[in-house]
Amino acid sequence: MKEITLNVEGMSCNHCVNSVEGALKNAGMTGKVDLASNTVTVQYDENKDTVEKIKETIEEQGYDVV
Ligand SMILES: [Cu+2]
C-alpha cells in the first residue's frame, strides 16, 4: 500500500468530506479528508490504482486537486 496527501480546493463542510471519502471508497481506496488543511490523504494499492485515478475521482466530485 502507498499513501499520498493531496491539496484539494473547494471542500468546506461535512457534505464535501462525505462526497470525497465516499467516492474514493467506491473506487476501492481509503481516503481521509482534513478540512483544516484542505488535504486528502489516500491509501491505495499501487498495483491497482494510480495518483491520476485518485485525482480524477476527487475532481469528479467537483473539487480541484492543486
Ligand atoms: Cu461541503
Side-chain angles (χ1 to χ4, degrees):
M1 293 291 275
K2 286 189 79 170
E3 184 173 286
I4 188 172
T5 298
L6 298 168
N7 293 307
V8 178
E9 282 183 350
M11 302 183 299
S12 59
C13 67
N14 275 335
H15 170 78
C16 304
V17 173
N18 291 335
S19 295
V20 171
E21 291 183 354
L24 289 166
K25 187 174 181 184
N26 286 342
M29 298 174 278
T30 303
K32 184 86 187 74
V33 173
D34 183 353
L35 284 180
S37 60
N38 290 313
T39 56
V40 181
T41 299
V42 183
Q43 289 161 347
Y44 64 103
D45 181 346
E46 66 268 42
N47 295 316
K48 184 167 67 74
D49 301 313
T50 61
V51 173
E52 204 50 47
K53 178 180 172 184
I54 295 169
K55 288 180 179 175
E56 283 173 9
T57 301
I58 294 171
E59 288 178 342
E60 278 170 6
Q61 298 304 308
Y63 307 105
D64 289 326
V65 179
V66 294

